[in-house]
Amino acid sequence: MIKNTTTLFLLTMMLVSQVGPATAAEHDHKSTASGAKPYSYKTPKLSRAQFDALLAKPEELLIIDVRRPDEVSKIGSFPVYLSVQAKELEAALPFIPRERAIVTVSNHAGRAGAAADALAEKGFKVAGAVGSQNYEEEGGKIIRIVPPAPKAK
């Protein structure tokens, strides 16, 4: 059971190398301009360019999406990620590899920043946090999975 869980977990991951964060001033300006709360976490909030650089080396990255499933299906996400809702992060810690750089994802990086800070405090290698909607607004492509239509009876 553990081997199958580990295998499944490993298949859902992407690995990337770390890239330096954008300046806090850049992110604060973007956050306040769009009306969102300013980003206030220790973990750097990644720009599209920074996240794309990490995605270019998928063997070094684990993306953890901390949103609810309904948010992921409605808004979209990245092609491969581990889905762990923010409220369940503590219980998932034993299943998260420590040797990989982690990027956390939420809609505008708020929950992602909080989750990333919590992971960093537990000794995980955290590269940053990203908002899927921010990423898309900057020209990045996210994937939307359309559920199949119900079968006609």
Side-chain angles (χ1 to χ4, degrees):
M1 172 82 178
I2 291 176
K3 185 175 181 180
N4 290 338
T5 303
T6 302
T7 302
L8 179 61
F9 174 76
L10 291 174
L11 291 174
T12 62
M13 296 185 298
M14 292 183 79
L15 306 172
V16 299
S17 65
Q18 296 186 18
V19 173
T23 65
E26 289 174 357
H27 288 299
D28 287 345
H29 174 71
K30 289 178 184 176
S31 295
T32 55
S34 65
K37 294 179 186 176
Y39 187 82
S40 61
Y41 300 97
K42 293 178 184 176
T43 299
K45 181 178 178 183
L46 303 174
S47 68
R48 174 191 172 201
Q50 292 168 319
F51 189 53
D52 283 347
L54 293 170
L55 289 172
K57 297 181 181 178
E59 70 280 355
E60 300 172 11
L61 177 70
L62 169 61
I63 300 172
I64 300 177
D65 196 319
V66 299
R67 297 174 294 165
R68 296 184 321 269
D70 64 301
E71 292 175 289
V72 174
S73 63
K74 179 181 176 186
I75 297 167
S77 192
F78 301 99
V80 178
Y81 60 90
L82 174 64
S83 179
V84 179
Q85 290 182 47
K87 65 183 178 182
E88 298 169 354
L89 189 61
E90 187 74 28
L93 292 177
F95 304 102
I96 299 173
R98 292 182 178 273
E99 69 276 2
R100 300 185 175 163
I102 295 172
V103 173
T104 54
V105 177
S106 62
N107 293 332
H108 295 285
R111 285 173 287 172
D117 283 357
L119 288 168
E121 288 174 10
K122 299 285 186 181
F124 290 89
K125 294 190 308 186
V126 177
V130 68
S132 64
Q133 289 178 313
N134 302 117
Y135 180 80
E136 189 173 42
E137 288 167 0
E138 292 178 20
K141 182 173 171 63
I142 60 173
I143 306 298
R144 287 179 178 78
I145 299 172
V146 178
K151 292 181 180 181
K153 293 183 180 183

